[in-house]
Amino acid sequence: QVQLVESGGGLVQAGGSLRLSCAASGTIFSLNAMGWYRQAPGKQRELISIITSGGTTNYADSVKGRFTISRDSAKNTVYLQMDSLKPEDTAVYYCNVKYRSRIGLVYDVWGQGTQVTVSS
């Protein structure tokens, strides 16, 4: 059973930076992708950034040029460097991992979420 532990959220002023980390524990036979989502109050959860097993990255338009996703494959850890933060980035940020088991089952695992608050 894979579990995700997130860290790095907090309160920051507009224009500041934060770095989120998400460590996956357990056995991942074949990683498909790791990513970050966020959910602001009263809004749906949205995809912010994703990195595939091959290292391809993708970003939501709202964070392009400000956020950077990276991965340490040896540690099964994904990071989200968030720069030039804006008040509208305030949300609960969730880590997500999609992987395949040895027998071909596909799993979609979520972290517990970490609060990011950007003050104006």
Side-chain angles (χ1 to χ4, degrees):
Q1 185 83 15
V2 171
Q3 293 185 322
L4 305 179
V5 177
E6 302 168 12
S7 61
L11 173 64
V12 65
Q13 287 190 331
S17 298
L18 283 174
R19 189 192 194 208
L20 305 182
S21 299
C22 173
S25 62
T27 301
I28 296 178
F29 178 71
S30 179
L31 178 69
N32 289 348
M34 303 181 82
W36 291 94
Y37 293 69
R38 70 184 180 190
Q39 188 167 18
K43 295 188 177 181
Q44 289 188 335
R45 190 173 297 188
E46 61 173 342
L47 174 63
I48 295 302
S49 183
I50 194 166
I51 183 166
T52 69
S53 58
T56 300
T57 59
N58 215 337
Y59 298 90
D61 288 342
S62 58
V63 305
K64 276 181 183 176
R66 300 188 298 122
F67 291 10
T68 303
I69 192 169
S70 61
R71 184 186 72 225
D72 185 332
S73 299
K75 297 180 180 180
N76 275 340
T77 299
V78 63
Y79 305 96
L80 186 68
Q81 177 66 40
M82 304 185 294
D83 298 318
S84 302
L85 282 161
K86 305 175 181 180
E88 51 263 44
D89 293 318
T90 295
V92 178
Y93 284 68
Y94 296 91
C95 176
N96 174 265
V97 172
K98 295 176 174 53
Y99 70 97
R100 194 179 300 274
S101 72
R102 186 176 297 273
I103 61 173
L105 297 176
V106 177
Y107 291 88
D108 196 5
V109 182
W110 293 90
Q112 79 281 6
T114 185
Q115 177 70 46
V116 171
T117 302
V118 184
S119 63
S120 57

